[in-house]
Amino acid sequence: MHTRHGGPSTLELRELPDPEPGPGEVLIAVRAAGVNRLDLLQRQGPGVLPGFSLPHIPGMDISGDIIGLGPGINGRHIGDRVVVNPGVACGTCAECTIGQDAYCSNVQIIGGNRPGGYAELVVVPATHTHVLPPGTSHVAAAALPTAYGMAWQALVVRGELCADETVLVHGGGSGVSMAAVHIARRIGARVIVTSGSDEKLAHMAQVGAHATINNRTEDVAARARELTDGVGVDLVLDHVGPALFQASLHSLRLRGRLVFCGDTTGATAAFHLPHAFHCGITLLGAGSCGYADFGAMIDFCFGDGGGIEGELEPVVDTLLPLAEAAVAHHRLESGETKGKIVLLPGNAALRASGQRTNPVARVPKSAPTGPAVSSSASSASSAASAASVGRRIAGAIDERPPTAPPQPESAATPKVPTHS
């Protein structure tokens, strides 16, 4: 957590009272928490999200085990292994009442403006938990919510990417770009990735990009057209911002689509209007996933996806114990990451072992319900647990469900998603 704004050193490991689940909520023992750029921005200050306040516990991407139930829970049980949808819409604003909860003006973000996953325990709405298929590791699950949610919203919900189309993805090496490659390939699209680093481009080729472009040494638009026999790409996913905005427009075919969802290189983009309207270019903004869209993304990632390419395989750049959250922030700020950084609460043994990186490996498909399920597992699941302090939950990457006394369920039964 952090009690003030500043550099990574403001992150502190503190003992706090255990949170208690209220009506409709569950208590989760966090097993893995992904690190996102929003965590850095809000640590640096000022807070980006309305309602942000200090002290703050970051962490939007959470996977863990349910160890406590609040009143009125039906459909979730002690021991369920779950991943969390961090966006909690109010349900009452004008946007929510017309079914546009992704644009809720009063949204709460777990780890954004309410306590998040940089902790051993967290309370979340039961409706925002999704049960993991057997064999899916917590580390793999924690790589999904933000990066895959954004890529899904951009490519599928807003961009309407189809099989046999070609998509150009900027920012190779980031979690969003890797998620975009996986999603696009499973849809059956062709993927071209750009980056200013040859090392990252080589890594993106291993992840699954069909072709790559170095945006520092090559003309992005000319190369994109060359790779598409002069036609241009069908869709561009730009989460970088103004640096490549004009190049993106010139990379598109007639009536192509540019989806933008980030401002890493600035908040204002300038481009040549005549080219955009004469070529019939569509500009599409993409934000966070709404409730239904997030559920569809989880179904796609954990199910067969309807695509033609093998199993989804989230890429993890670095694994670190929670106590080294500052190191994680330094790593993300360096710009050298090639995948997701994941924190592991309660596992001092990881530090002692010197383990820092761990690629997420595939495991065979299994199908607890519905269609065949593709999933990923981490070899870290066999790491030893550390001794707990107070009610700290040991074994952050131990995949065995925790034991806890059963709790009665109330007759009040809020709906919970069945994306399992």
Side-chain angles (χ1 to χ4, degrees), residues 123-364:
V123 166
V124 304
T127 52
H128 284 59
T129 61
H130 299 258
V131 176
L132 301 180
T136 304
S137 78
H138 284 306
V139 170
L144 289 177
T146 299
Y148 282 76
M150 180 174 288
W152 179 264
Q153 186 75 2
L155 293 181
V156 179
V157 179
R158 300 293 290 144
E160 299 181 346
L161 182 66
C162 298
D164 299 324
E165 288 192 314
T166 299
V167 57
L168 177 67
V169 178
H170 295 314
S174 72
V176 173
S177 296
M178 292 186 189
V181 170
H182 289 151
I183 291 171
R185 286 194 63 124
R186 297 193 74 192
I187 289 172
R190 183 172 181 238
V191 191
I192 305 170
V193 175
T194 77
S195 172
S197 163
D198 286 335
E199 181 183 359
K200 287 186 177 182
L201 291 176
H203 184 70
M204 292 304 297
Q206 293 178 343
V207 169
H210 296 90
T212 61
I213 302 172
N214 188 312
N215 57 40
R216 292 181 181 173
T217 61
E218 298 180 89
D219 182 321
V220 171
R223 181 68 176 137
R225 291 187 173 278
E226 179 184 342
L227 291 168
T228 55
D229 297 325
V231 175
V233 301
D234 300 283
L235 177 69
V236 174
L237 169 52
D238 183 2
H239 61 92
V240 173
L244 294 172
F245 210 83
Q246 186 65 55
S248 297
L249 292 171
H250 284 284
S251 300
L252 287 164
R253 63 165 173 80
L254 292 175
R255 305 185 75 178
R257 295 104 69 199
L258 169 56
V259 184
F260 55 99
C261 58
D263 56 0
T264 304
T265 60
T268 304
F271 59 94
H272 191 240
L273 283 171
H275 172 80
F277 62 71
H278 280 305
C279 294
I281 302 301
T282 300
L283 302 180
L284 298 162
S288 58
C289 268
Y291 184 81
D293 293 335
F294 188 92
M297 180 272 290
I298 291 294
D299 279 345
F300 178 90
C301 290
F302 289 158
D304 62 14
I308 59 173
E309 302 291 337
E311 297 180 43
L312 181 120
E313 190 174 338
V315 177
V316 175
D317 175 88
T318 310
L319 293 176
L320 289 167
L322 178 61
E324 296 187 22
V327 176
H329 279 217
H330 275 297
R331 173 70 178 163
L332 186 56
E333 287 177 335
S334 74
E336 299 301 318
T337 56
K338 295 187 287 291
K340 197 73 173 178
I341 299 173
V342 178
L343 297 174
L344 304 170
N347 204 293
L350 183 64
R351 181 194 297 181
S353 72
Q355 183 178 357
R356 286 295 179 271
T357 59
N358 182 30
V360 180
R362 293 176 179 170
V363 295

Side-chain angles (χ1 to χ4, degrees), residues 131 133-134 299-300 302-305 365-374 418-420:
V131 176
D299 279 345
F300 178 90
F302 289 158
D304 62 14
K365 290 185 177 182
S366 57
T369 58
V373 175
S374 61
T418 57
H419 310 291
S420 58

